Amino acid sequence: ASLGKFVIGTVKGDIHDIGKNLVGMMLEGAGFELIDLGINNPIDNYLEAIDKHQPTILGMSALLTTTMPYMKVVIDTMKEKGMRDDYIVLVGGAPLNEEFAKAVGADAYCRDAAVAVETAKSFMARKHNQMAAG
């Protein structure tokens, strides 16, 4: 049984994917169904994947400090469309930190692949408990 669907991609302007690929492999190994959008993803790629796959979690990656602000563009667009609260948004990449994740409106920052898996599992457990209680 799948732990949940996880859409992941590197943001527009960024072509780095080694970290994202490691996160993806570890998520699949942990039991998540992974939809990997690859690199250089504009907002439309994320929105189409969300619409098509109805994931529980959206993951965004950036390695360049110049592409990091695009994460906020994606999250702000989700807010404008009234869909932000329907998804868990996790961000990662070497130049990011907790403060950045909070500033752009993400649910959490994941410093490496192992943390990403644990964070995703913990959010899924909380969601499952909320659904059971509701």
Side-chain angles (χ1 to χ4, degrees), residues 63-131:
L63 187 65
L64 302 173
T65 54
T66 53
T67 61
M68 287 166 51
Y70 200 76
M71 293 177 171
K72 184 167 170 37
V73 173
V74 175
I75 293 169
D76 286 349
T77 303
M78 290 172 74
K79 284 180 188 166
E80 286 164 21
K81 294 187 173 293
M83 60 195 282
R84 169 60 188 93
D85 294 340
D86 299 336
Y87 304 94
I88 297 158
V89 179
L90 304 181
V91 295
L96 280 66
N97 58 33
E98 294 285 347
E99 291 74 38
F100 175 81
K102 283 191 186 95
V104 298
D107 290 299
Y109 157 70
C110 305
R111 77 175 175 273
D112 61 36
V115 171
V117 170
E118 288 313 308
T119 304
K121 281 179 160 179
S122 127
F123 272 105
M124 292 309 295
R126 273 187 257 169
K127 193 171 182 73
H128 181 74
N129 291 340
Q130 285 170 349
M131 286 164 61

Side-chain angles (χ1 to χ4, degrees), residues 2-119:
S2 168
L3 285 179
K5 285 187 186 178
F6 197 117
V7 166
I8 193 170
T10 303
V11 296
K12 183 177 177 183
D14 209 316
I15 58 164
H16 297 89
D17 66 353
I18 293 171
K20 175 190 65 63
N21 293 346
L22 282 170
V23 170
M25 282 186 281
M26 288 187 67
L27 285 166
E28 284 182 314
F32 283 90
E33 184 182 337
L34 189 76
I35 298 98
D36 187 341
L37 304 179
I39 58 170
N40 195 22
N41 286 287
I43 181 71
D44 290 346
N45 291 15
Y46 291 106
L47 295 177
E48 283 169 22
I50 287 169
D51 187 49
K52 180 177 177 186
H53 300 286
Q54 297 295 306
T56 312
I57 305 176
L58 173 66
M60 290 185 281
S61 168
L63 187 65
L64 302 173
T65 54
T66 53
T67 61
M68 287 166 51
Y70 200 76
M71 293 177 171
K72 184 167 170 37
V73 173
V74 175
I75 293 169
D76 286 349
T77 303
M78 290 172 74
K79 284 180 188 166
E80 286 164 21
K81 294 187 173 293
M83 60 195 282
R84 169 60 188 93
D85 294 340
D86 299 336
Y87 304 94
I88 297 158
V89 179
L90 304 181
V91 295
L96 280 66
N97 58 33
E98 294 285 347
E99 291 74 38
F100 175 81
K102 283 191 186 95
V104 298
D107 290 299
Y109 157 70
C110 305
R111 77 175 175 273
D112 61 36
V115 171
V117 170
E118 288 313 308
T119 304

